[in-house]
């Protein structure tokens, strides 16, 4: 599963990017796992204009501060490395066999559609400016903060949106028609419009992408 926040795990900055260490196959693998980079990885898989052979080298360079080190560690198991790291760092299942399907939960927010709500809510509740923290907090830490917005006493735009997307509608009776109509109107207002599923977008291109990634590795990408 995606790694949980930790008070003891160390991070470092490398060429201006947040880098954390992950364990894979008995090796330590450095990964660029900032919140901003996590969103960029998701957007990469949602991009329908790029072919798999274009996405593969981009993903490798996005994930690893020293791609050559990661490629050396992965060897013939580059696909497994990418699957495991992307899942642990960003909670995105890019496996063609859906191996993390049982751990995956339906999305209740979208970083693109909810960008304004997220910015406003982080500032309102924690005094955090997105542009200041997106590159210095890990994706896992940012998701934890967003989860805390749902627990906070303050009513934030983000919490309201998630509430109306997930709450059980009131049962209609002859006395509460106006309440039910208002609830449905709010649910419709906050409904996600894109219909995008990053899991499906990822799975659709993974096999071709891994083949392209192996070719890139052989060329010394």
């Amino acid at each position: 599963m995606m790694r949980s926040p930790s008070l003891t795990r160390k991070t470092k900055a490398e060429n201006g990017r947040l880098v954390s260490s992950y364990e894979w196959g008995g090796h330590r693998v450095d990964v660029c796992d900032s919140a901003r980079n996590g969103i960029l990885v998701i957007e990469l898989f949602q991009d329908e204009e790029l072919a798999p052979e274009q996405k593969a080298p981009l993903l490798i360079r996005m994930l690893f501060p020293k791609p050559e080190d990661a490629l050396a560690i992965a060897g013939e198991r580059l696909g497994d490395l990418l699957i495991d790291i992307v899942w642990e760092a960003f909670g995105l299942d890019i496996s063609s066999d859906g191996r993390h399907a049982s751990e995956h939960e339906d999305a209740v927010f979208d970083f693109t559609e909810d960008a304004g709500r997220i910015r406003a809510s982080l500032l309102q509740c924690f005094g955090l400016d997105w542009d200041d923290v997106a590159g210095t907090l890990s994706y896992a830490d940012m998701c934890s903060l967003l989860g805390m917005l749902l627990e906070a006493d303050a009513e934030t735009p983000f919490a309201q949106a998630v509430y109306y997307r997930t709450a059980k509608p009131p049962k209609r009776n002859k006395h509460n028609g106006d309440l039910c109509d208002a609830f449905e109107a709010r649910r419709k207002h906050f409904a996600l419009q894109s219909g995008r599923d990053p899991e499906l977008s990822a799975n659709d291109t993974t096999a071709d992408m891994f083949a392209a990634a192996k070719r890139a590795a052989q060329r010394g990408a």
Side-chain angles (χ1 to χ4, degrees), residues 54-176:
Q54 295 174 299
K55 293 183 180 183
L58 287 175
L59 179 64
I60 292 170
R61 287 176 171 80
M62 289 168 70
L63 286 180
F64 308 115
K66 295 180 179 179
E68 63 279 5
D69 291 349
L71 292 171
I73 290 172
E76 293 298 314
R77 298 185 60 209
L78 178 59
D80 290 330
L81 174 64
L82 294 175
I83 289 171
D84 293 342
I85 292 298
V86 171
W87 175 251
E88 188 176 352
F90 307 124
L92 181 64
D93 183 4
I94 64 171
S95 64
S96 58
D97 57 9
R99 65 188 64 175
H100 299 295
S102 62
E103 304 172 73
H104 174 66
E105 298 180 0
D106 292 336
V108 296
F109 72 94
D110 181 276
F111 278 110
T112 299
E113 291 188 38
D114 291 316
R117 296 185 182 104
I118 291 171
R119 282 181 177 273
S121 300
L122 289 174
L123 189 61
Q124 173 188 339
C125 201
F126 304 121
L128 298 175
D129 184 283
W130 170 264
D131 291 326
D132 291 339
V133 299
T136 58
L137 285 177
S138 72
Y139 183 87
D141 286 340
M142 182 59 69
C143 288
S144 179
L145 278 179
L146 296 181
M148 292 177 192
L149 287 174
L150 306 181
E151 302 172 355
D153 292 334
E155 191 173 84
T156 64
F158 179 76
Q160 270 216 324
V162 174
Y163 170 77
Y164 280 103
R165 291 168 188 163
T166 59
K168 185 178 180 180
K171 187 175 182 180
R172 186 179 293 271
N173 58 48
K174 62 182 181 179
H175 302 295
N176 69 349

Side-chain angles (χ1 to χ4, degrees), residues 1-4 9-11 18-34 63-65 73 81 84-91 138-141:
M1 63 176 65
M2 187 171 75
R3 63 163 50 181
S4 300
R9 187 182 300 119
K10 293 182 179 180
T11 60
L18 179 75
V19 175
S20 304
S21 293
Y22 289 71
E23 294 295 324
W24 186 85
H27 299 276
R28 191 188 77 174
V29 181
D30 285 343
V31 178
C32 300
D33 64 349
S34 71
L63 286 180
F64 308 115
I73 290 172
L81 174 64
D84 293 342
I85 292 298
V86 171
W87 175 251
E88 188 176 352
F90 307 124
S138 72
Y139 183 87
D141 286 340

